[in-house]
Amino acid sequence: FYISGKQFPAYGYFFSHNEKYVLVKEANMWSADSYEHILFWEEEEITEEHIKGAESIIRNEMEAILVRKGEKYPEKNHMSSLLTIVMLGQEPLSKEAAKRIKKFRFDKGYQFNIRGYSRGRIIAATMADRGVVASPDIKGSKKLFREVFKEVDEGRDGFEAVCKSQGVTCYTQE
C-alpha cells in the first residue's frame, strides 16, 4: 500500500455503519459511520526517527487523506476514525524509542466533535525479544500480539500457509 510516496507492506481497513429509524428507514433519526485504518511498517530496527515518521504520517497524511479525503471536515455521518500504525522490527526497541511510543497521543475532533473525531495509535512488535510496546490508546491490542508470538513459538501455521491451504488469494493493491 502506498501513501504519499511511502510503501507499506500491508493496509487494513474496517467500516461500520449504524443508524436509528422509526418504523421505516425513511424516518431516519441518526446515522453514524466508524472507520479504522491500519498501516503495517517493517524495519530491521525501529528507531526513534522511524517513530517520528510514523507520528507525522498519522498527523499529516492518514488523517488528511483517509479521514477527511482532502476536505476541511470528514463526511456528514462520520463518528470516529482510528488511525493505527503497526511497526514490525527484528531488533529490540531502544529505551528512547519505547518511551516515545508510550507518550504518543493524537486526538482530533471536528466541529466540536459534532462531525466525530480521529485518534492515532502506534504499536511496535519486535521479533528478537518478542517485545510489544504500544501508545496509550491501543494497549488492549498488546495481548493480541503476545498471543501471535505464542502461536509462532508453538509452530502454528502463519497467514500465508492458511491462505494457501484454503485456496484463498490475498488482496494486493494495483
Side-chain angles (χ1 to χ4, degrees):
F1 185 80
Y2 293 88
I3 188 167
S4 293
K6 176 154 178 51
Q7 180 181 356
F8 296 88
Y11 166 68
Y13 171 80
F14 174 79
F15 169 74
S16 174
H17 175 78
N18 293 309
E19 61 186 0
K20 181 73 171 179
Y21 54 89
V22 181
L23 299 177
V24 293
K25 287 190 175 188
E26 289 76 22
N28 189 318
M29 294 172 59
W30 57 263
S31 294
D33 297 335
S34 298
Y35 303 85
E36 183 168 8
H37 303 276
I38 303 173
L39 291 176
F40 291 84
W41 182 330
E42 288 181 311
E43 294 291 342
E44 184 67 28
E45 181 179 359
I46 301 168
T47 65
E48 199 171 356
E49 288 303 312
H50 293 124
I51 296 161
K52 287 179 187 176
E55 292 172 1
S56 175
I57 288 169
I58 288 172
R59 292 179 197 280
N60 303 318
E61 309 293 333
M62 291 177 78
E63 190 275 330
I65 296 168
L66 300 175
V67 177
R68 292 186 288 117
K69 297 171 180 57
E71 300 294 327
K72 186 173 181 179
Y73 300 111
E75 60 198 31
K76 181 183 173 198
N77 293 323
H78 176 265
M79 184 174 83
S80 66
S81 288
L82 298 176
L83 309 171
T84 306
I85 292 185
V86 176
M87 304 186 85
L88 305 170
Q90 292 298 320
E91 301 301 319
L93 286 175
S94 68
K95 288 181 182 178
E96 295 80 20
K99 189 176 179 181
R100 184 161 191 113
I101 290 172
K102 289 176 183 177
K103 286 186 173 183
F104 175 70
R105 291 190 186 278
F106 175 74
D107 199 353
K108 182 173 183 175
Y110 307 99
Q111 293 182 323
F112 300 104
N113 287 358
I114 293 170
R115 283 271 180 101
Y117 66 91
S118 291
R119 183 166 292 142
R121 308 161 342 148
I122 298 174
I123 188 164
T126 52
M127 306 306 144
D129 63 350
R130 302 293 198 241
V132 181
V133 177
S135 59
D137 291 331
I138 195 173
K139 282 187 178 178
S141 294
K142 287 172 70 171
K143 181 180 177 185
L144 171 68
F145 279 80
R146 288 192 177 111
E147 288 174 7
V148 169
F149 280 136
K150 182 179 174 190
E151 289 179 5
V152 169
D153 291 341
E154 291 171 352
R156 295 193 50 193
D157 286 340
F159 179 72
E160 289 179 8
V162 171
C163 288
K164 186 176 180 181
S165 71
Q166 296 182 7
V168 176
T169 303
C170 303
Y171 171 79
T172 57
Q173 183 182 12
E174 305 267 334

